Amino acid sequence: MSKSLQAIRGMNDILPEQTPLWRYFEGTVARLLDNYGYRQIRMPIVEFTELFKRSIGEVTDIVEKEMYTFDDRNGDSLTLRPEGTAACVRAVLEHGITGGGQVQKLWYIGPMFRHERPQKGRYRQFHQIGLEVFNLDGPDIDAELIVMTWRLWGELGLRDAVKLELNSLGTSESRGRYREALVEFLSAHLDKLDEDSQRRLKTNPLRVLDTKNADTQAILVDAPKMADYLDDESRAHFEGLKARLDAVGIPYVINPKLVRGLDYYSKTVFEWVTDKLGAQGTVCAGGRYDGLVEQMGGKPTPGVGFAMGIERLVLMLEALDKVPEELSRQVDVYLCAFGEAAELAALALSERVRDQLPNLRLQINAGAGSFKSQFKKADKSGALYALILGDDELAQQVVGFKPLRGQGEQQSIAWDALAAHLATCVVQG
């Protein structure tokens, strides 16, 4: 017997019962970004592998262990994108839209791919909404990104469930000085470090700071602090960011061990974290990457951005019971028609109503059926009201109107008055 077909481990179907919440979340974010003047860009999900090696860093966990990489028929090495910033930078360089100092405020949405151990909130195909800003180098734009996410948490009812952590990594020069001091310190405790931290010490020392190993974290208490190695420019930038967050009233904590997992970050880094999802605590993260565009072949161009994980935020909305009640209802009105003549009239009537009420969710019964079976389907649809069209209603050019959720008697509504009646009732319902 052949093995039954199923999805690849860590790559999940999003079923019809789940998609309303996804659409609600995505729509809320898209509307917010539109209101702040950001424009959407869409990039391919497959890029040349070299793009990610050059941008993310060849000794990062993503490039070393997690990328889905393959050779195509032309012999080119291609990779399913593990994150969006590198692809966005490639796109703006290829199309020249940041040339001459043009400010670009862009956002994107879509699947990313990393070969990780699947667990709740961490999947091999996961979805992100990302945002990138080019040619603005001040702390004001860094603050805007954080203020936008703060507003989003407010709209979603999540502010009490998240915490903002901040740090500054300084310029590449100051970070290099700090790296030397950190390596010197950790090398003196080499035999006490966990195996993964020993490996990172040789390849990407700053990543030792965010180890989950308790013994290594205990050693890091006495490690050098990045703040002591910041250059004056980075320190002023960070103070400017904190002043703006203070002005808006956004609470934050300074986390000197926050380094992020990608090589291209500089100056500001931040994470929104939660304790409502178990081990997967980061729901939105980003920072500044002023050297990345030049590193990828462009002219010096400041950049800053963030990405948020849709799966984790959807899980949070569910866990905290912040799912809007109306999402459980996919249909406002269900139209039952009995007999071929009534079915024809129902089709024409429903289209006239849709012309007048384009946002009304109106479903017509399909597949005929008895009065009992059609009403059973109407009730199962979750509709607020059922419309009834049979021979008697057809002769009088009326439609039966029956509430399905709550009090109210069935009544007859003239066809010409139906749209106006539905507009009032559905809003009130």
Side-chain angles (χ1 to χ4, degrees):
M1 193 174 202
S2 62
K3 182 179 179 181
S4 60
L5 295 175
Q6 56 186 338
I8 298 168
R9 184 168 181 253
M11 300 186 180
N12 303 323
D13 299 309
I14 302 168
L15 300 177
E17 293 77 15
Q18 302 165 305
T19 53
L21 181 53
W22 280 65
R23 291 177 61 187
Y24 160 73
F25 174 77
E26 293 165 355
T28 302
V29 178
R31 183 177 64 254
L32 179 72
L33 295 177
D34 286 345
N35 291 345
Y36 274 82
Y38 288 76
R39 300 187 299 161
Q40 187 178 17
I41 184 172
R42 302 190 180 196
M43 300 91 67
I45 65 170
V46 180
E47 300 274 0
F48 288 111
T49 303
E50 183 63 21
L51 170 68
F52 301 112
K53 288 184 176 180
R54 289 176 59 181
S55 59
I56 298 172
E58 291 199 48
V59 294
T60 58
D61 287 349
I62 294 175
V63 171
E64 285 185 330
K65 300 185 293 185
E66 298 173 359
M67 295 202 311
Y68 282 90
T69 297
F70 59 94
D71 291 338
D72 73 356
R73 293 182 179 181
N74 295 326
D76 295 318
S77 179
L78 306 181
T79 295
L80 294 175
R81 62 184 182 194
E83 57 96 40
T85 298
C88 190
V89 170
R90 190 270 310 151
V92 299
L93 282 175
E94 182 173 342
H95 300 285
I97 62 174
T98 57
Q102 297 179 75
V103 173
Q104 294 291 343
K105 302 169 77 174
L106 308 172
W107 71 275
Y108 50 85
I109 183 172
M112 310 292 167
F113 303 85
R114 297 183 192 178
H115 192 277
E116 300 184 288
R117 183 172 63 87
Q119 52 189 293
K120 187 176 182 181
R122 184 183 291 272
Y123 308 107
R124 290 177 176 174
Q125 176 177 311
F126 57 99
H127 299 77
Q128 286 186 341
I129 294 177
L131 180 153
E132 316 292 349
V133 181
F134 300 98
N135 279 316
L136 289 173
D137 60 6
D140 52 353
I141 192 63
D142 300 21
E144 180 177 275
L145 303 193
I146 294 172
V147 169
M148 279 195 303
T149 52
W150 180 245
R151 179 169 295 277
L152 176 63
W153 309 144
E155 292 189 17
L156 297 173
L158 299 178
R159 278 187 181 173
D160 292 339
V162 294
K163 178 178 68 173
L164 175 62
E165 296 186 349
L166 294 178
N167 195 19
S168 177
L169 300 180
T171 61
S172 59
E173 292 79 11
S174 61
R175 193 166 61 255
R177 291 193 298 272
Y178 173 64
R179 184 186 291 110
E180 290 178 5
L182 182 63
V183 169
E184 182 179 356
F185 171 83
L186 292 175
S187 296
H189 300 81
L190 184 62
D191 58 334
K192 298 178 182 177
L193 299 179
D194 63 277
E195 183 178 346
D196 193 48
S197 294
Q198 290 180 6
R199 179 183 63 82
R200 286 176 169 176
L201 182 59
K202 298 176 182 178
T203 59
N204 196 347
L206 267 61
R207 289 301 311 281
V208 177
L209 296 175
D210 61 7
T211 178
K212 302 300 186 291
N213 183 278
D215 293 335
T216 301
Q217 279 293 346
I219 295 170
L220 289 170
V221 170
D222 297 322
K225 302 296 186 287
M226 183 72 221
D228 296 331
Y229 292 82
L230 287 182
D231 55 285
D232 292 342
E233 177 191 349
S234 297
R235 185 172 287 107
H237 186 103
F238 197 44
E239 291 302 319
L241 170 61
K242 291 188 291 182
R244 286 163 173 80
L245 298 181
D246 291 339
V248 182
I250 298 178
Y252 58 85
V253 296
I254 306 301
N255 180 357
K257 297 177 183 177
L258 179 60
V259 294
R260 306 292 299 129
L262 308 175
D263 275 0
Y264 50 63
Y265 285 113
S266 61
K267 293 184 180 175
T268 303
V269 287
F270 67 90
E271 289 188 358
W272 288 99
V273 298
T274 183
D275 59 3
K276 308 300 182 183
L277 296 176
Q280 307 308 320
T282 302
V283 295
C284 175
R288 182 162 284 282
Y289 46 87
D290 291 341
L292 180 58
V293 175
E294 185 177 11
Q295 178 183 322
M296 292 175 60
K299 295 181 179 179
T301 304
V304 63
F306 68 68
M308 59 180 66
I310 300 178
E311 280 88 350
R312 294 184 187 180
L313 285 159
V314 166
L315 283 172
M316 274 189 69
L317 291 170
E318 293 174 330
L320 299 175
D321 197 22
K322 298 297 183 180
V323 180
E325 185 177 350
E326 62 268 19
L327 295 186
S328 63
R329 187 182 74 249
Q330 294 302 293
V331 179
D332 296 319
V333 180
Y334 193 99
L335 201 165
C336 305
F338 306 96
E340 185 173 356
E343 290 176 2
L344 294 175
L347 181 60
L349 178 61
S350 66
E351 291 307 305
R352 288 205 298 273
V353 169
R354 287 190 174 101
D355 286 341
Q356 296 171 274
L357 301 173
N359 293 323
L360 181 71
R361 295 176 296 183
L362 170 60
Q363 181 176 341
I364 306 180
N365 182 76
S370 65
F371 186 89
K372 182 178 180 180
S373 67
Q374 290 199 36
F375 258 82
K376 187 175 181 180
K377 288 190 283 186
D379 183 64
K380 188 176 180 180
S381 74
L384 296 172
Y385 305 100
L387 302 179
I388 305 161
L389 193 57
D391 291 340
D392 292 344
E393 289 81 13
L394 195 59
Q396 301 174 53
Q397 292 199 341
V398 298
V399 63
F401 179 86
K402 181 176 177 60
L404 296 175
R405 310 277 179 257
Q407 303 297 317
E409 298 294 326
Q410 182 173 324
Q411 55 184 305
S412 295
I413 308 296
W415 290 357
D416 291 343
L418 180 59
H421 186 75
L422 287 174
T424 301
C425 292
V426 171
V427 170
Q428 291 180 344

